[in-house]
Amino acid sequence: MIALGNRLPLLVVALIPVAAVVAELRQSWMLGVSVMGFAVVVPTLVDGFRAGSPASVTVTRDLPSSVVMGSSSTIGWNVVNQADRRRSIRIADDFAPSLGAERRAHLRLPALGVGDVQIPFVPTRRGLFTPSRITVRVDGPWGQIGRASCRERV
């Protein structure tokens, strides 16, 4: 799955004046639009190819076996970058809202690096809690686009 990054709209806005100047110099709005499209699409494709596969990221979840309602505990994620270069990795878990936990984390791991994330939580209702899916996203080096995958039973 392809996921757009936060910097892509900034690139488009930054290239509008460049396209306007090219269009004015050549007296052709079509050329200006073509230059802008080329200047946005090519770096985005390069960033997407350089993002790497989310399959090269291993995530294990550490959950407490039981927690009393209203008391505090922690959930842990252990993230391993198995690639040979630095990665910007985002993870999102399918925690129930009543768990009271932040369900997203962002890590920047070096090549073959390991990162641990500890999330405190305080459950606000009773019941069985069994998260099953986790989404792993690897952003490209320029942050324009990324590749994501969902995994069952981590």
Side-chain angles (χ1 to χ4, degrees):
M1 171 180 7
I2 302 294
L4 294 178
N6 298 336
R7 295 182 187 168
L8 188 58
L10 294 175
L11 178 66
V12 171
V13 169
L15 289 174
I16 289 174
V18 173
V21 168
V22 168
E24 187 63 33
L25 290 176
R26 294 291 187 166
Q27 297 295 322
S28 169
W29 66 270
M30 190 71 124
L31 180 64
V33 170
S34 299
V35 166
M36 185 173 161
F38 184 76
V40 169
V41 169
V42 170
T44 301
L45 289 176
V46 170
D47 196 39
F49 285 122
R50 294 190 63 211
S53 173
S56 66
V57 176
T58 304
V59 179
T60 54
R61 185 190 292 136
D62 181 29
L63 298 171
S65 58
S66 65
V67 178
V68 177
M69 185 174 74
S71 65
S72 179
S73 187
T74 60
I75 296 173
W77 290 306
N78 182 286
V79 183
V80 179
N81 178 15
Q82 298 171 346
D84 58 352
R85 65 177 169 205
R86 185 175 164 262
R87 295 274 172 94
S88 176
I89 300 167
R90 298 173 192 267
I91 54 175
D93 220 325
D94 70 342
F95 297 147
S98 61
L99 192 61
E102 179 65 38
R103 60 180 292 264
R104 298 176 189 265
H106 181 213
L107 297 96
R108 295 185 193 277
L109 294 179
L112 305 173
V114 177
D116 286 317
V117 179
Q118 298 294 320
I119 306 286
F121 72 98
V122 179
T124 58
R125 71 173 177 87
R126 294 183 302 198
L128 187 59
F129 163 66
T130 55
S132 60
R133 290 178 35 164
I134 191 165
T135 302
V136 177
R137 174 182 164 157
V138 178
D139 290 331
W142 300 325
Q144 292 179 353
I145 202 164
R147 295 171 62 187
S149 69
C150 289
R151 301 174 187 173
E152 300 289 330
R153 297 282 175 202
V154 176

